[in-house]
Amino acid sequence: MESKVMSIGVVCELTGLSERQIRYYEERKLVFPARTKGGNRRYSFEDVQKLQEIHQKMQEGFNTFELKEIISPKTKRCAPAYR
Amino acid sequence: MESKVMSIGVVCELTGLSERQIRYYEERKLVFPARTKGGNRRYSFEDVQKLQEIHQKMQEGFNTFELKEIISPKTKRCAPAYR
DNA sequence: CGTGTAAGGAATTCTGACACG
DNA sequence: CGTGTAAGGAATTCTGACACG
């Protein structure tokens, strides 16, 4: 499910993360929720999954900079080693 | 997806129905959204699908009473004709 | 019967900032 | 760096009612 339909409150419940954490991960360019005309965030189930991966990795010691490479969009993810 | 995660606004966008229509179908016992602690409705993708079926049938001339039998929960849906 | 609407209130979310570290 | 929090405002949703029919 890639449709952006959940408000941040629901995502908090599903992930156990705080609004602050979720918004911060967005600030660090790790997740990209859609926005309503009014400016409210809308997340997909994929986003929820990604957020959980992010939190998981952070508990393992990674910082948001490193995560940007690990939890990257699938398209870039499997790029072959150039050279 | 049976998880109740969407607010009524998103459901309106997905179905093209008005909030009024959606709430009315609930009043007629055709859909059963979950509620947040604060009282806000939360719908699942199944609910969205059911709402579309309801609207479809209504345009075909059925009223909410008749629909309660047609668009019934799957468990009751295939009940064998008794007698 | 089914749906639109204005009304007033309440729940939810938003941003920018201060704080700690 | 990552996250908590109080602050003030704005968007979203809620209920009950009047309206038409």
Side-chain angles (χ1 to χ4, degrees), chain A:
Chain A
M1 269 317 185
E2 35 179 303
S3 38
K4 308 277 190 174
V5 299
M6 290 177 270
S7 61
I8 197 166
V10 175
V11 178
C12 286
E13 292 177 11
L14 264 46
T15 62
L17 301 177
S18 67
E19 296 188 5
R20 186 68 166 94
Q21 290 175 300
I22 296 173
R23 296 203 189 98
Y24 181 66
Y25 299 158
E26 175 183 0
E27 186 182 318
R28 299 322 321 269
K29 308 293 183 187
L30 295 174
V31 282
F32 309 90
R35 293 276 186 160
T36 62
K37 324 80 210 161
N40 282 23
R41 274 166 266 250
R42 287 290 177 264
Y43 300 85
S44 67
F45 279 97
E46 281 187 7
D47 290 329
V48 169
Q49 201 168 357
K50 185 181 283 189
L51 282 166
Q52 291 176 317
E53 281 180 49
I54 292 169
H55 188 59
Q56 169 72 57
K57 291 297 180 186
M58 290 194 65
Q59 289 190 311
E60 290 173 16
F62 295 95
N63 63 36
T64 54
F65 284 99
E66 302 168 322
L67 284 181
K68 198 178 291 188
E69 312 219 331
I70 302 176
I71 311 289
S72 55
K74 309 88 200 167
T75 51
K76 293 184 178 178
R77 193 161 201 169
C78 300
Y82 43 79
R83 171 188 182 281

